[in-house]
Amino acid sequence: MKGFVNGYYRISLWVSLFAYLNLLWVVFSIAGVGVFGFMPATAAMFAVIRKWIMKEEVAVFKTFWGYFKKDFVKVNILGYIIIAVGYLLYIEFRILWSSGETIYLIASFGVFALFILYTIVLVYFFPIFSHFELKKVNYFKWPFIIGIVHPILTIFLIITLSVLYYMTFITIPALLFFFGGSVTAYILTWGAFKTFPKYEKVEGRTI
């Protein structure tokens, strides 16, 4: 009975922590009017998750706030470069696909291939940002390298999140508001951490 109670307590604690971290992410994103708050709030959330995975005891709010302030400018610059690239790919794909001419339709598949590579960068960007201290361009290079070198892991992470989102959306969509961000961050960071020891030998600079 004692083991059951302890297990229930631990589960309840982790559920509360994930919900609390997700709430901080939402509040700080809104506080920055989305435009300037979303990226640093997301980076701070991943930083807290990283410490959990490394089994470090942290004060959630203090850690979140510290990373939010520390990375505010840097992650906004990098993040909105990523958003701009994604937007340009989307617009180019829509233009080519809607043209109706065969040559442009074929070219649209090339843009779609670039979008797949873009998705790979998205998967690993925040886990790498929270773990490594790199030159700005390397925050785009290393997500691409890790995603390509570890295709099974990349596919697994994308499929896992896709299935999780779908099942949650058709059953209890409200859970996405309470846990969507923090659970996503945990899954991506957990996956990325499987590869980091190898690349620490190359970069040798963790935060």
Side-chain angles (χ1 to χ4, degrees):
M1 185 66 180
K2 184 177 180 181
F4 173 79
V5 173
N6 288 337
Y8 179 79
Y9 171 77
R10 288 179 62 84
I11 292 173
S12 299
L13 177 62
W14 278 108
V15 168
S16 300
L17 286 172
F18 273 90
Y20 178 48
L21 180 58
N22 202 83
L23 178 63
L24 289 177
W25 174 59
V26 172
V27 169
F28 275 79
S29 294
I30 294 173
V33 200
V35 177
F36 299 111
F38 176 75
M39 290 299 173
T42 303
M45 177 174 62
F46 273 84
V48 173
I49 292 290
R50 168 184 176 266
K51 289 188 177 295
W52 287 351
I53 289 178
M54 295 177 71
K55 302 188 184 304
E56 296 182 19
E57 293 187 8
V58 295
V60 175
F61 181 83
K62 181 179 179 181
T63 304
F64 185 97
W65 174 238
Y67 279 100
F68 183 88
K69 292 187 298 180
K70 172 180 173 290
D71 297 323
F72 188 88
V73 175
K74 181 179 179 180
V75 76
N76 264 316
I77 293 172
L78 295 173
Y80 284 102
I81 289 174
I82 291 177
I83 289 177
V85 171
Y87 179 75
L88 290 175
L89 287 174
Y90 171 75
I91 294 299
E92 186 173 359
F93 180 81
R94 287 291 301 271
I95 292 173
L96 292 172
W97 186 257
S98 62
S99 68
E101 298 185 26
T102 302
I103 188 170
Y104 292 119
L105 291 177
I106 294 173
S108 69
F109 287 102
V111 176
F112 183 74
L114 291 176
F115 190 77
I116 292 175
L117 299 179
Y118 173 80
T119 302
I120 292 173
V121 172
L122 285 182
V123 166
Y124 293 100
F125 174 78
F126 281 106
I128 287 174
F129 184 87
S130 70
H131 190 71
F132 291 99
E133 190 70 52
L134 306 173
K135 295 180 179 178
K136 289 184 175 64
V137 68
N138 287 344
Y139 286 113
F140 303 121
K141 182 184 79 173
W142 282 110
F144 176 77
I145 291 174
I146 292 176
I148 295 298
V149 173
H150 303 276
I152 295 177
L153 174 62
T154 303
I155 293 170
F156 171 78
L157 292 174
I158 293 173
I159 291 177
T160 298
L161 289 176
S162 298
V163 171
L164 183 62
Y165 292 154
Y166 176 75
M167 295 302 296
T168 304
F169 184 76
I170 65 174
T171 54
I172 313 176
L175 288 178
L176 291 174
F177 176 80
F178 293 104
F179 300 100
S182 56
V183 170
T184 297
Y186 188 90
I187 292 172
L188 293 180
T189 305
W190 169 84
F193 249 69
K194 301 294 183 183
T195 72
F196 284 170
K198 178 191 301 184
Y199 301 103
E200 286 171 358
K201 296 175 183 178
V202 178
E203 287 292 339
R205 290 173 289 178
T206 57
I207 298 174

